[in-house]
Amino acid sequence: MSDFAADGRPVTGRDMDNDLTDRLARHPAPLAAVDALIHDERGRVLLVDPVYKEGWDLPGGMLEDEEIVEGLRREVLEELGLHITVGRLLCVDNLPRRAHGRSLIAFVYAARTREPVTAAEWVLREDELRDAAFFPPQEALELLPPGLRRRVRAALDAERGAHTAHLLDGRSPVAEPPDHYATLPAPMAAATALITDEQGRVLVLKTSYKENLELPGGMVLADESPQQGAAREISEELGLDDVPVGRLLAVDSAPAGRRARALDVHVFSVGPLTSEQIQGIHFPDGEIVAAHWMPPKEAVDCLPERLGLRVVAALGALATGSIAQLTEGVPQIGSPAGVTAARRSELERQRVLSPADYLAVRPKALAAACVLFTDADGRVLVVQPTYLRGDGWLLPGGAVDSDLAETPRQAARREVREELGLEAEPVGRLLAVDWLTGPPHLAEVVHVYDGGTLSAEQIAAIRLPPHELAQWRLVEPQGLEGLLYERLVPRVLSCLDVRAAGAGAVELHNGWPVN
């Protein structure tokens, strides 16, 4: 069915557009006003004193038939002779008809002058303004009329947050919890991935929108956690959807500066990536133009200084199983990772560390226990783990659960039961204590106990946990070289010597006896 005009002509799309334009031109509309929230370099707020009403006000005024931002620029230029850059919308206030005879919508925008200005540089429009001045925020609020005061306070709160305040006559309407929490002031959040490969190299990216190199990552969205944000960015930037985001290595906080909001950057461990995963890297969103694998020192040198500091701290946290607390890339007092030995010594001499900070910055050491078993022919029992790279073998044993108050001897007994299925006689005497060091990794102290000589029945009863150990073997001492992990060979040989001599426990460092 067709529509026809009064003269009988079919109604066209142009006729309908003209009709809508005419109707909108005659449609009653509320008044509209727009103001600027302008700060100087000291954070003070610019107010003006109008001649036509009592009390101070924000720069701005009533809108004409014009765009809101253009109207604000015009008003500030007319009133003060200032050219401004208009930022984001901070506040929308709906005033009822009873206040001014017509409904009024008042907008407040963040704005800044193109150059820092003083009172000597603005030109007041004398028929509109008596004065203009910058005031500290709290003093400025006290100078404003009550309704405007509420509006400006809401705009200042919005400026510190990420929201736009919506008001009814200067007051926030009752909001549901999701709306309330969405308007709370909060810092920006970003997520960065420290991606490594099996050679320990670090992945750095060349983007299409920055001159410097970058780490993978980006801003965290409002509906996701930093870890989820890191996973999304890895998918978008590198096309990797099957790479899990690991543990948190560092949090780097930057106070509000040129961004006008604080920023918290979360650095997560990702990898090591396999060669197959590396081959799958591509750049689906076009933001990334190249990816480079670099040794850690080279990556630190090539990245901007703050990113380089962030990588150093994150690598330290990765190696020591801890976390770094940073501000603009600099480790803070009490940061478990990132504080150098020299800096730690300085802080200790100055006695500025609280007990909690002292505990956090002191270097930690792991504890382990293992057991030396032989058979009647003097062969050594060794096991092959499934959880380590390569084909190396170990003595039966494992980590001491010191958080459960377990002692090294108790750990040795537990490991024998769990790994070999043996409920043997108590673990024998201590043969050696081996202090392992290899910065930047944590030191480890290993206690080696004498398990004695296994009987044929005990050997036949050995049962391995398949998820942890692949196989076991009895090996002649001279056959340990090339089978055990390299630094374990001198440890085992030293323990065999101590056992044969009936001597006391030997002190070892990285497997070798300490003179």
Side-chain angles (χ1 to χ4, degrees):
M1 181 176 177
S2 299
D3 292 327
F4 294 88
D7 59 4
R9 292 183 301 103
V11 175
T12 65
R14 179 174 295 179
D15 291 326
M16 296 176 68
D17 289 342
N18 290 337
D19 182 55
L20 178 60
T21 300
D22 292 339
R23 290 170 59 190
L24 290 176
R26 298 190 302 270
H27 188 78
L31 300 171
V34 60
D35 292 329
L37 185 61
I38 301 173
H39 296 277
D40 66 2
E41 293 178 307
R42 295 162 56 185
R44 299 180 301 175
V45 176
L46 179 59
L47 298 184
V48 296
D49 185 10
V51 299
Y52 51 85
K53 61 180 178 180
E54 293 298 321
W56 291 77
D57 202 347
L58 290 178
M62 301 302 297
L63 285 170
E64 300 173 3
D65 188 7
E66 59 192 338
E67 296 179 4
I68 299 176
V69 171
E70 289 303 317
L72 182 55
R73 292 195 187 105
R74 173 188 55 76
E75 282 287 341
V76 176
L77 181 61
E78 291 175 357
E79 290 182 349
L80 297 166
L82 298 178
H83 293 276
I84 61 169
T85 299
V86 180
R88 69 182 184 90
L89 178 62
L90 299 176
C91 178
V92 179
D93 193 0
N94 296 269
L95 281 72
R97 177 181 296 180
R98 66 176 181 272
H100 302 286
R102 284 177 64 184
S103 298
L104 172 68
I105 301 176
F107 302 90
V108 181
Y109 279 84
R112 59 186 180 276
T113 57
R114 296 179 183 176
E115 298 291 340
V117 296
T118 63
E121 296 173 273
W122 53 57
V123 181
L124 300 183
R125 182 170 173 174
E126 295 182 355
D127 62 335
E128 288 198 12
L129 301 180
R130 282 187 289 263
D131 197 4
F134 284 105
F135 298 95
Q138 186 56 43
E139 184 178 344
L141 289 172
E142 293 170 359
L143 291 170
L144 298 173
L148 181 58
R149 183 185 308 144
R150 293 192 295 267
R151 188 184 311 152
V152 174
R153 181 179 286 115
L156 288 168
D157 289 343
E159 193 175 39
R160 290 190 292 269
H163 65 286
T164 298
H166 293 270
L167 309 177
L168 296 177
D169 199 11
R171 295 179 173 84
S172 297
V174 177
E176 294 295 322
D179 294 326
H180 168 72
Y181 289 118
T183 62
L184 293 179
M188 296 184 291
T192 294
L194 182 71
I195 302 180
T196 56
D197 67 1
E198 292 175 328
Q199 287 74 51
R201 297 178 300 176
V202 175
L203 182 66
V204 297
L205 305 178
K206 175 62 180 172
T207 69
S208 60
Y209 54 90
K210 287 185 179 179
E211 290 296 323
N212 55 270
L213 294 174
E214 276 283 352
L215 293 175
M219 300 304 295
V220 177
L221 302 180
D223 62 346
E224 62 187 3
S225 69
Q227 194 167 29
Q228 290 171 328
R232 174 183 50 77
E233 287 287 340
I234 291 171
S235 174
E236 292 175 357
E237 292 183 345
L238 304 176
L240 298 177
D241 298 318
D242 60 343
V243 176
V245 175
R247 72 177 186 88
L248 182 65
L249 298 177
V251 177
D252 191 1
S253 299
R258 60 181 176 82
R259 301 182 188 90
R261 285 177 63 196
L263 172 66
D264 289 335
V265 181
H266 299 72
V267 185
F268 292 93
S269 171
V270 176
L273 298 191
T274 64
S275 57
E276 291 78 13
Q277 290 171 323
I278 292 173
Q279 290 172 2
I281 291 176
H282 60 287
F283 314 131
D285 67 359
E287 286 189 3
I288 310 303
V289 297
H292 307 282
W293 290 98
M294 297 182 179
K297 186 178 185 310
E298 183 181 344
V300 170
D301 292 340
C302 290
L303 289 166
E305 182 180 11
R306 187 179 299 179
L307 292 187
L309 292 171
R310 201 175 288 162
V311 169
V312 169
L315 287 170
L318 182 64
T320 58
S322 58
I323 188 170
Q325 176 196 352
L326 313 174
T327 297
E328 297 184 305
V330 179
Q332 298 303 287
I333 293 177
S335 173
V339 177
T340 64
R343 174 62 173 156
R344 183 183 69 245
S345 297
E346 179 186 357
L347 293 172
E348 290 173 349
R349 286 196 304 271
Q350 294 173 347
R351 298 185 180 277
V352 297
L353 294 172
S354 70
D357 291 338
Y358 177 83
L359 181 63
V361 301
R362 286 301 305 172
K364 312 298 189 295
L366 301 173
C370 57
V371 182
L372 175 67
F373 290 105
T374 56
D375 67 357
D377 296 324
R379 295 178 298 176
V380 178
L381 176 67
V382 295
V383 293
Q384 186 181 42
T386 60
Y387 50 85
L388 296 177
R389 291 197 215 111
D391 299 323
W393 294 64
L394 304 170
L395 292 182
V400 178
D401 290 336
S402 56
D403 58 334
L404 300 177
E406 185 178 57
T407 67
R409 180 175 293 276
Q410 291 170 334
R413 291 172 178 165
R414 173 179 53 78
E415 289 288 341
V416 168
R417 182 172 63 254
E418 293 174 355
E419 292 190 346
L420 304 179
L422 296 180
E423 296 287 353
E425 295 81 10
V427 170
R429 67 190 181 96
L430 181 67
L431 297 177
V433 175
D434 193 357
W435 181 252
L436 305 177
T437 56
H441 301 283
L442 291 177
E444 183 176 16
V445 56
V446 181
H447 297 71
V448 186
Y449 294 93
D450 188 1
T453 302
L454 293 174
S455 66
E457 292 77 11
Q458 289 174 314
I459 293 174
I462 290 176
R463 297 292 182 270
L464 303 183
H467 64 282
E468 188 173 349
L469 299 176
Q471 54 184 318
W472 63 272
R473 183 182 298 179
L474 290 163
V475 182
E476 298 285 350
Q478 60 268 27
L480 296 174
E481 188 81 39
L483 183 67
L484 294 183
Y485 284 97
E486 183 177 354
R487 65 183 177 184
L488 301 189
V489 176
R491 178 195 299 170
V492 175
L493 295 179
S494 294
C495 289
L496 288 171
D497 291 342
V498 169
R499 179 204 263 186
V506 64
E507 180 186 358
L508 307 175
H509 180 215
N510 288 342
W512 295 96
V514 176
N515 293 327

